[in-house]
Amino acid sequence: MNIGEFLLYVVAVIIMIATPGPVMLLVASAGLKGGYRKALKTIFGTNFASLILITISILILKGFLELNQQWLNSIKILGCIYIAYLGFQILTEAFSSSIKGHSAQLKTVDGGFKQGFLVGISNPKDIIFFASFFPQFINITADLDFSLMLLTLSWIILDFTTLSVIYLAFNRLARSKIYHHLLAGCGAILVLVAVYGIYSVLF
């Protein structure tokens, strides 16, 4: 087994998950409203979406599936529109709760398994990762199937652990004076990610 390459994969996955993006921000927002239980359900949803994308990537690697670029671009655009919609929801609630008072909470961005899955499956960052970056590490062992299983299990563990740590970090800030600014920042970044995703597809 190529330990160095595997460690590089681990570091790359952690950085990718922890980098501000739709999944990370949704988990943080859901956790701020519903606590760890709600954040956990959201993480399970995003994790399940990742498993589907990994499966598609494996099928492509094994030659069982070939994706049409136009179809893939359409999925990316629809995903970006949905992510932008969530971003505007968070922004609206952040400004609304700021006006009503510090004790106000998020009302519309609940998170949960379904929303976590929809964001995860339509996240342009994840689609690009599993379609291009993920296959670069399939040679960490001599056995392709074992490599794919190891990469998949590692992703699941790292995804769950990293997002849980992110939730805990955001949760500590939930009662601080920057609470509403934090939510507004999450919403704004989601909208920017969506706009950039659409721009990268169309231009």
Side-chain angles (χ1 to χ4, degrees):
M1 178 177 172
N2 190 331
I3 301 296
E5 191 170 332
F6 177 69
L7 290 176
L8 180 63
Y9 171 77
V10 169
V11 172
V13 169
I14 292 174
I15 291 174
M16 182 195 146
I17 295 171
T19 301
V23 170
M24 187 270 275
L25 295 171
L26 178 65
V27 170
S29 299
L32 285 173
K33 177 186 178 180
Y36 186 62
R37 184 171 182 175
K38 180 65 71 172
L40 191 61
K41 289 181 180 179
T42 308
I43 292 171
F44 281 139
T46 63
N47 220 297
F48 184 59
S50 295
L51 284 177
I52 291 178
L53 293 174
I54 288 173
T55 301
I56 292 173
S57 180
I58 291 173
L59 291 174
I60 292 173
L61 284 170
K62 288 182 169 286
F64 295 125
L65 183 65
E66 185 175 345
L67 291 180
N68 181 280
Q69 187 61 44
Q70 194 171 18
W71 182 76
L72 185 61
N73 287 340
S74 298
I75 292 176
K76 287 180 181 179
I77 291 174
L78 289 174
C80 287
I81 292 172
Y82 180 69
I83 289 167
Y85 167 72
L86 289 180
F88 281 118
Q89 278 189 314
I90 294 175
L91 279 170
T92 301
E93 290 302 325
F95 287 121
S96 175
S97 60
S98 179
I99 293 172
K100 293 176 183 176
H102 185 66
S103 61
Q105 298 291 319
L106 268 176
K107 294 179 180 179
T108 54
V109 184
D110 293 325
F113 182 88
K114 181 180 179 181
Q115 201 165 57
F117 173 78
L118 289 174
V119 170
I121 203 70
S122 63
N123 183 10
K125 187 170 71 172
D126 282 0
I127 293 172
I128 293 170
F129 177 81
F130 291 118
S132 58
F133 186 67
F134 182 74
Q136 295 181 32
F137 294 92
I138 59 175
N139 295 319
I140 57 172
T141 71
D143 187 332
L144 175 61
D145 291 331
F146 182 72
S147 293
L148 292 171
M149 182 184 70
L150 182 60
L151 292 172
T152 302
L153 288 175
S154 298
W155 171 272
I156 293 171
I157 294 170
L158 292 169
D159 189 34
F160 179 83
T161 304
T162 305
L163 288 175
S164 295
V165 170
I166 288 170
Y167 156 73
L168 292 173
F170 269 75
N171 191 52
R172 294 189 64 178
L173 297 170
R175 293 192 177 95
S176 70
K177 293 181 179 179
I178 64 170
Y179 174 73
H180 304 297
H181 299 293
L182 191 63
L183 293 182
C186 289
I189 293 174
L190 282 178
V191 173
L192 288 174
V193 167
V195 171
Y196 177 76
I198 293 174
Y199 176 82
S200 63
V201 171
L202 297 179
F203 304 100

